[in-house]
Amino acid sequence: MDQSSAQKEIARLRREIKKHDRLYYELARPEISDGEYDLLMQRLIELEKQHPGLVLPDSPTQRVAGKPLPGFTQVKHPTPMLSLDNTYNEDDLREFDQRVCKGLTGQSYRYVVELKIDGVAVALFYRQGLLEYGATRGDGVRGDDITANLKTIRSIPLSIDASESELEVRGEVYLSKKEFARLNDIKQQEGQAVFANPRNAAAGSLKQLDPRAVAQRKLSIFVYGMGRPPGNLDQHYQAMKFMKDLGFKVNPNIGLCQDISQVIDYCNRWEQKRDDLDYEIDGMVVKLDTYAQQRQLGATSHSPRWAIAYKFPARQAATILRSVEFSLGRTGVVTPVANLEPVQLSGSIVSRATLHNDDELKRKDLHYGDTVIIEKAGEIIPQVVRVVIEKRNKKAGPVVMPQNCPVCHAPLKRLEGEVAWRCGNVSCPAQVKGRIEHFASRGAMDIDGLGPAVVELLVTQELITDFGDLYDLRKADLLPLERMGEKSADNLITAIEKSKGNPFWRVVYSLGIIHVGTQAARELAKRFEDMDSLASAGCQEISKIYGLGPAVGQSVENFFRNPHNLKVLEKLKRAGVRMKSDSSTGHGGAFSGMTVVLTGGLESYTREQAAELIISQGGNIGSAVSKKTSLVLAGSEPGSKYDKARALGVTVIDEREFIRMVKGL
Ligand SMILES: [Zn+2]
């Protein structure tokens, strides 16, 4: 591709990626799958590599371009980042209002009320429209320069179309509840201490020195103000709209309240609805709307007089610890789980709570029969926060970690640098079952009829010791099993057989390598043509792949170093499970140089698979139909894209035609 067409293509891809970032992160309305998004990104990276002169500082590829830092430097905030005073009840709010009223003698005023996101406050500084740096609040005067980490957050624009030469925007970086649960799940599997709440997780993530590790945590941001708002803005409410129009992610739940009663109503409403949100809030923020009035009231040395935080009461309940169960995951980590006297906690009955790990057990000094305080903190399963020591029965014994695996009785070990105790026995039935269940699960090898109950039978009857053995099973082995009829045995054998043809990435995902979810598995399968080259790649090489990182690299390397795993892989290979990449990466394929838009559902492929095929054969995926679209692939019930293609005279093909092209017929 020559320089000028490369330039055009790069500009198009950047626009496209920026648009999808916005759709995904600001509007929560993605138009393309993650896979399709990654393909756009890969293409841009490729082109920029070929034309390094065309790389701009605000290109989406620059989000994860930083190298690990030795430490953070400090920056001084242009205007101090004050913290807010807290209030805890309606009376406090009314008192705040009286102070405001007194300060603004005779004037009318109104409030803007926002959700108080449970995250980390940051400042983003833009010069001539480009993100120059981003920093933590720190002590309010100086904060840590965490620019490289903030750049990895896709909802933070790297450039904005502002007429102001300098603009400092402030916001709260946070983790969604789902992402928080995912991170803690990984921590648990890795034997690391889990994060207590999403705020700690967000703060811990921003303190990482390696931006690639930060990119792994899917952080997000809501902006809520500016250090010095542009002079043409008179009100905060107006400013929120201004920032939204610039492309910042502004929380949509902003209340405009005419008096303090409305403020209180609004706060109460959100206290009831907080569980509907996919992120944690710990209260509300009340601000005087008009800037002139804000200035009139001013600030004390530590907080403004025109704003206040209203904190929700913690969601805690007291109950009795009945017993402790030690459960075992597929990586062998033993997790203590509390069985509780059932208790009502913000709308649901709670009878179990996580105790995380041994360190936590010791720190809480838990005894059987203790009265404990449990709390919900952005988790599906609540946690025990503390013991009410005064209520302890003197004869009660302490809860201690067992020394042996509760399932196979092998001694538990604690590895260096881990908080978890693990069962080190690779043949431990609990781990074996866990790994096989994962292997067979939907999204992995998707083996119908191989749920936990059947896995349990197969393992306890010693028919299999790992998932590699599945492929040696015969119908005659299955028939003696409980509740296994002729038909279900046939079906299971067929399902196992069928799984051999699963795409390579699903095989990679099925192995259950820590940190390798479906997304990472796809990435690995794209980069390595077969299992052998993946196995010999090593941490360094894998860490460099866009979207992955050192944690994934290390985990993959560890997996392939383990002789037990190699033995299982050998079985898969022998059985004929697909061990190499299925897509040819050739250029000049059937879709060479074409921009293809997909619409409607396909029978033989998911849209992602179809997109992968098109890209692998030299094409690009477009998201909207225009005159430049080469081809529209229309499946069943195509949408408006189909009509538009017809109107513009763009060629439309159906699935049969598509298959014909793919196969080169
Ligand atoms: Zn065990």
Side-chain angles (χ1 to χ4, degrees), residues 25 80 115 144 153 214 245 290 330 380 445 459 491 580:
Y25 288 98
L115 305 183
D144 285 335
I153 301 174
V214 184
D245 292 344
T290 304
R330 72 177 147 94
I380 304 145
M445 292 302 259
V459 173
N491 288 346
K580 61 173 198 253

Side-chain angles (χ1 to χ4, degrees), residues 44 66 129 188 191 227 241 258 306 357 403 484 491 520 584:
L44 180 58
Q188 192 93 24
K241 178 161 187 321
Q258 302 305 325
W306 46 266
N357 54 53
Q403 293 185 323
M484 182 66 77
N491 288 346
S584 61

Side-chain angles (χ1 to χ4, degrees), residues 174-193:
Y174 70 94
L175 270 177
S176 70
K177 290 175 184 169
K178 204 172 127 200
E179 186 60 12
F180 172 67
R182 188 186 72 88
L183 282 186
N184 264 359
D185 190 42
I186 291 173
K187 287 251 166 206
Q188 192 93 24
Q189 287 180 35
E190 282 187 317
Q192 302 295 328

Side-chain angles (χ1 to χ4, degrees), residues 328 405-410 412 423-425 428-431:
L328 210 64
C405 171
V407 178
C408 75
H409 309 293
L412 295 182
C423 168
N425 172 13
C428 171
Q431 294 177 57

Side-chain angles (χ1 to χ4, degrees), residues 260-316:
I260 200 69
S261 301
Q262 285 186 10
V263 168
I264 291 168
D265 281 350
Y266 196 72
C267 290
N268 289 339
R269 193 142 27 106
W270 275 106
E271 189 175 345
Q272 297 306 314
K273 286 203 296 185
R274 60 194 285 196
D275 283 333
D276 298 348
L277 299 166
D278 70 353
Y279 44 86
E280 281 290 318
I281 57 173
D282 60 346
M284 305 293 287
V285 175
V286 183
K287 295 172 185 166
L288 200 55
D289 190 28
T290 304
Y291 285 142
Q293 294 178 334
Q294 289 185 3
R295 282 192 293 270
Q296 196 180 338
L297 293 185
T300 67
S301 61
H302 55 272
S303 54
R305 291 196 185 89
W306 46 266
I308 203 151
Y310 170 71
K311 301 269 268 190
F312 295 147
R315 298 195 289 181
Q316 297 186 335

Side-chain angles (χ1 to χ4, degrees), residues 635-648:
S636 58
E637 294 176 34
S640 60
K641 290 175 186 170
Y642 177 84
D643 302 329
K644 188 152 183 212
R646 284 287 182 225
L648 290 173

